[in-house]
DNA sequence: ACTGTCATGAAAAGAAATTTTCAGCCTGCG
DNA sequence: CGCAGGCTGAAAATTTCTTTTCATGACAGT
């Protein structure tokens, strides 16, 4: 009954004040390297904590469990939840292991970003954007800033293969007006704008809106000013143990969108890709001949 | 002794052919929702698999464990590694959970890619490349293919800020010779080449080598032919539940390298960034005035 | 100093889990 | 058809784990 939705860790914390010395010692041993330390038998964890087995039994009963097996089965469920859900609660490792290699610290940060971004991301938004992108009647325009330009290009390169009517705006803003001129109502402008937001993005978005275009913005957790003009916004967690922001999670969403669009229009796309393959082949032949 | 470095899952797979009917049934039950399903008592898992407890004992002994407790303690260690290491082992996801959203399936795949890539990646390689990139006496050249061009650009954009003497080769191979002409011995050519390997990359690498340049290649698990000419190679896991390959992990390594270079030359970089900020400021003023 | 209360662990009792034994059963082969 | 060999699970035997009981000791209040 107790500890139905709360985690065992929560239960321990909330009872911590009422625990006796040996029980506190045991509780700390359990929380240290939680929840794995509670996987073994009562004998094992009693030894690890340096207390007797009756202490363990008394404590878990004090925490509201029927007995040690009951306690352990709760723990097992938690481990299961943690392991089988990849976006699971990995808050633990965050601060630990400070001296590790930059690769590992980066990996930690990225996983955290991914988890946070996904938990804050509405799948409905994602699906809506995917369906907008899939609509071949809409013209598609991509634009990014100094750093995010590469992401816009990546997105564009793929979408160009999948569907027609796609354009990449150069990161040089002087050429933007001519693109805006060509926009029709219902066209889609995909903007990448993360911090050190570029002023011109707002102007571009405003102009595009006036032409009746829909806007999708990829930005960070603080939000580009252009997001106010957007139909849909992806707020991505971009923090990294670095002087630079991380674009990894943004790229992740881009790739997922590419796949979503691709699979929703596979029949049409298949033909395009075949044709494209043929064109590449021809180009190669050209070169060999020349 | 057995199953020291191999995971329990590996051991089961490698013995699978030699297992009897009931044992196969048990093995599948264990692998399904692995490794959580093996957390309970021998009685529990026997029931879940629909076999008797002696079958369990016989099988784990056949797998090379001393007995069920031995088997289980190995499993515990794996769970521990999985949970406390964020680059956790997520080999599972593959076929399971078909009804989940593309975002989750993608996330699973990316985590798997990241883990596999990192476990196969030698930190010494990483550190060597970082130090090559940090050496300002070496000229730096970046090149990518049709898809990976965006990654080359991303890498280039950052390195250009951090250090001088950096160039991005256009993805159009016709302009490559002039870059090669300018290469000096000790210069560094960073090549991105993933499957549907581009023929020209090998020619480029060969020409660069003749000029005395060092080569670093980012490729996939199968390996670009250009990797044979490289001093260092990053083999990245790129599989995604998509018709396209994933560049997320490649970008991850790029970002980690950027940070490694940046932090190793922070004093010099700081000045450059300040100057750059000033230049951007001026550009903005220009625009406002005009 | 005495007494009651409580925490604690040793040890016994009880309850599981694990392993072993063994008989039934199927399968393949002569 | 009969038999050998191996798979399988019921049940017994063994080991281990879990819970309870109880003696000890620490400590606070009288």
């Amino acid at each position: 009954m107790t500890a139905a939705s709360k985690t065992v860790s929560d239960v321990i914390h909330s009872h911590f004040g009422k625990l006796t010395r040996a029980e506190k010692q045991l509780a700390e041993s359990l929380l240290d390297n939680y929840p794995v330390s509670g996987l073994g038998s009562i004998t094992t964890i009693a030894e690890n904590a340096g207390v007797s087995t009756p202490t363990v039994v008394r404590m878990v009963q004090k925490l509201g469990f029927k007995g040690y097996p009951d306690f352990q089965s709760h723990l097992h469920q938690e481990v299961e939840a943690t392991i089988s859900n990849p976006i699971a609660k990995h808050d633990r490792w965050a601060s630990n292991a400070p001296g590790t290699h930059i690769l590992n610290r980066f990996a930690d940060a990225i996983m955290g970003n991914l988890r946070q971004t996904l938990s804050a991301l509405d799948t409905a938004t994602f699906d809506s954007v995917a369906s907008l992108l899939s609509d071949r009647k809409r013209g598609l325009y991509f634009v990014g800033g100094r750093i995010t330009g590469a992401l816009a290009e990546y997105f564009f390169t793929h979408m160009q293969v999948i569907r027609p009517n796609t354009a990449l705006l150069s990161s040089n803003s002087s050429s933007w007006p001519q693109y805006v001129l060509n926009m029709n109502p219902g066209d889609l402008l995909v903007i990448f704008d993360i911090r050190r937001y570029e002023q011109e993005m707002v102007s571009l978005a405003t102009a595009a809106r006036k032409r009746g275009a829909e806007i999708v913005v990829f930005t960070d957790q603080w939000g580009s000013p252009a997001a106010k003009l957007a139909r849909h916004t992806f707020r991505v967690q971009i923090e990294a143990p670095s002087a630079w922001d991380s674009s990894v999670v943004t790229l992740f969403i881009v790739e997922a969108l590419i796949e979503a669009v691709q699979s929703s229009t596979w029949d049409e796309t298949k033909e395009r890709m075949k044709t494209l393959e043929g064109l590449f082949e021809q180009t190669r032949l050209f070169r060999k001949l020349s």
Side-chain angles (χ1 to χ4, degrees), chain A residues 102-154:
Chain A
I102 174 75
L103 274 171
N104 289 319
R105 284 189 288 128
F106 235 91
D108 286 0
I110 296 310
M111 311 282 267
N113 285 349
L114 189 56
R115 183 175 68 77
Q116 283 194 42
T117 302
L118 284 193
S119 65
L121 176 58
D122 187 12
T123 53
T125 302
F126 180 91
D127 296 337
S128 302
V129 173
S131 99
L132 285 173
L133 289 166
S134 306
D135 185 350
R136 288 162 184 236
K137 290 191 298 292
R138 300 174 191 275
L140 265 191
Y141 297 85
F142 294 91
V143 65
R146 188 162 59 97
I147 302 285
T148 49
L151 294 171
E153 187 192 327
Y154 189 89

Side-chain angles (χ1 to χ4, degrees), chain A residues 10 12 15 109 132 147 171 198 227 236 249:
Chain A
D10 291 341
I12 294 179
H15 284 70
L132 285 173
I147 302 285
S171 44
E198 323 230 354
V236 181
V249 179

Side-chain angles (χ1 to χ4, degrees), chain A residues 164-181:
Chain A
N165 213 355
T166 313
L168 174 67
L169 278 62
S170 95
S171 44
N172 177 0
S173 59
S174 60
S175 66
W176 291 355
Q178 45 201 306
Y179 286 100
V180 175
L181 184 65

Side-chain angles (χ1 to χ4, degrees), chain A residues 5 34 40 44 50 52 55 64 108 116 128-129 144 151 162 165 177 180 182 210-211 215 234 241-242 276 281-282:
Chain A
S5 57
Y34 175 91
T44 317
S52 66
T55 303
D108 286 0
Q116 283 194 42
S128 302
V129 173
L151 294 171
I162 295 175
N165 213 355
V180 175
N182 285 330
K210 276 199 189 124
R211 301 281 309 168
I215 293 171
F234 290 104
S242 167
L276 186 67
E281 231 12 83
Q282 279 180 33

